Amino acid sequence: MRTSMSVHRIKPRALVPGNTVGITAPASPGDWEQMKSAAAYLEQLGLRVQVGNTVLKQHGYLSGTDAERAEELNAMFADPGIHAILCARGGYGTPRIADRLDYEMIRANPKVFWGYSDITFLHAAIGKLSGLVTFHGPMMIDLCKMDVNPLTVQNLQLLVQPGVLCYTEEIAPLDVLVEGVASGPLIGGNLSLIVSTLGTPYEIDTTGALLFIEDIDEEPYRIDRMLNQLRLAGKFADAAGMVIGDFNNCAPRKRKVSLSLDEVIQDHIVAAGKPVMAGFRIGHCSPNIALPLGIEATMNTYEKRLECHEPGTYA
């Protein structure tokens, strides 16, 4: 399914002291003590925190039924008293509620929507059908860790102060896999969830875009399968370039003889011949740097730099 990125992108407003951040769990359930610990970082920015009912609900591996999770997310977007929405955690479940969201209402009520991992499906759906710039960034479950990296916490400044992402090797070493300069809107997220959009109304459109991918706990043969599916769907051929984030714990386990992750990436991504850079500390890692999805950016492998053209919010 080939589509075009025709929806006009809209940016949410940055928060000011006294604004309220809604915490919701659109995938798996959270933990109350963890939420209280993480909320302290938001309160230090002068923000109020409103924890949704889904955080403490449990329906198997889901944080409540599909109807409950979708209803809460729709309600938080519609509520003028909530100025941003942060996800408690990922896990699994967001693809189940994508067809229950009111995308016209979301477009009419743009606000910061923030998360990663399983939240990738909602980034794709909201970006495609509402045009809202969303944020791939650390969630409440990351902020409550005892050893949370200061750079991970620093991302939260993007909630209250429009900032332009400029990622260089000052954060971590970067590996150039294919040289070049590429520009386009930043899109993507968790590889498994990106692949799960294929063939649906929310299918990711990579035309002229910088495609970002990351994942966790997937063996090379599984990553091979997913990358091959994206390749066959034309997603690498259509993209302007590829941004490779962290692939945490993605070493061979089940198979004694295996291709390496690097070999799999060479076969499917590098072979496309578009500019590619790897090593970005974005995803299931520490630090976890936030990306504004939908914002135009340029990746320059000669300067080892990924830089957005504008902030993801407005003052």
Side-chain angles (χ1 to χ4, degrees):
M1 180 189 296
R2 299 294 181 89
T3 58
S4 61
M5 301 182 70
S6 57
V7 177
H8 174 67
R9 289 287 180 177
I10 53 175
K11 296 197 293 187
R13 182 186 293 273
L15 279 62
V16 297
N19 280 174
T20 297
V21 178
I23 308 299
T24 189
S28 295
D31 176 274
W32 181 247
E33 292 302 318
Q34 290 179 338
M35 295 306 106
K36 288 196 296 184
S37 173
Y41 290 109
L42 298 172
E43 291 165 350
Q44 289 170 11
L45 297 174
L47 304 174
R48 302 176 187 272
V49 177
Q50 179 176 316
V51 179
N53 294 328
T54 57
V55 172
L56 297 181
K57 286 184 177 291
Q58 187 152 5
H59 178 64
Y61 39 73
L62 304 169
S63 58
T65 65
D66 294 344
E68 288 171 330
R69 288 178 288 120
E71 181 180 358
E72 181 168 278
L73 186 53
N74 279 326
M76 284 190 173
F77 268 108
D79 187 349
I82 292 179
H83 306 90
I85 303 169
L86 268 66
C87 295
R89 59 162 300 171
Y92 171 73
T94 62
R96 294 175 57 125
I97 66 171
D99 58 348
R100 294 172 179 261
L101 300 184
D102 186 340
Y103 296 99
E104 287 300 319
M105 181 274 295
I106 292 173
R107 181 171 178 80
N109 297 274
K111 57 188 67 174
V112 170
F113 178 70
W114 186 296
Y116 74 107
S117 194
D118 196 68
I119 311 305
T120 294
F121 202 98
L122 296 183
H123 286 312
I126 292 171
K128 185 166 187 175
L129 298 186
S130 294
L132 178 64
V133 170
T134 60
F135 288 81
H136 182 285
M139 298 180 286
M140 302 298 278
I141 195 173
D142 301 295
L143 298 172
C144 69
K145 296 176 180 177
M146 293 293 292
D147 60 346
V148 60
N149 191 291
L151 284 178
T152 297
V153 176
Q154 188 176 317
N155 284 273
L156 298 178
Q157 289 291 333
L158 294 175
L159 291 171
V160 297
Q161 184 176 350
V164 177
L165 171 73
C166 183
Y167 194 114
T168 68
E169 288 194 301
E170 291 183 9
I171 298 173
L174 295 171
D175 299 319
V176 177
L177 304 186
V178 179
E179 290 188 339
V181 178
S183 297
L186 274 170
I187 63 168
N190 183 265
L191 175 61
S192 302
L193 274 298
I194 291 172
V195 171
S196 72
T197 69
L198 300 183
T200 74
Y202 320 103
E203 179 170 328
I204 194 165
D205 177 19
T206 65
T207 306
L210 293 177
L211 174 61
F212 163 72
I213 58 171
E214 65 86 36
D215 220 315
I216 185 172
D217 293 335
E218 298 285 3
E219 292 193 55
Y221 81 95
R222 294 169 63 91
I223 294 172
D224 188 333
R225 182 184 66 232
M226 292 186 281
L227 292 182
N228 186 58
Q229 188 170 355
L230 289 178
R231 180 184 66 84
L232 293 176
K235 300 305 178 181
F236 301 140
D238 290 346
M242 269 74 75
V243 178
I244 300 178
D246 194 75
F247 276 76
N248 194 340
N249 195 30
C250 290
R253 293 184 300 278
K254 182 177 179 180
R255 286 170 164 75
K256 294 182 179 179
V257 179
S258 172
L259 293 174
S260 68
L261 177 61
D262 288 343
E263 288 175 313
V264 171
I265 290 173
Q266 285 282 336
D267 288 344
H268 297 298
I269 296 179
V270 173
K274 305 297 178 71
V276 184
M277 199 151 53
F280 290 90
R281 303 298 289 169
I282 304 170
H284 293 82
C285 56
S286 180
N288 181 2
I289 306 301
L291 285 182
L293 299 176
I295 290 294
E296 293 281 332
T298 295
M299 181 177 69
N300 187 322
T301 69
Y302 306 107
E303 298 179 358
K304 290 192 173 181
R305 177 188 300 268
L306 173 66
E307 187 169 12
C308 287
H309 298 175
E310 58 182 321
T313 60
Y314 68 94

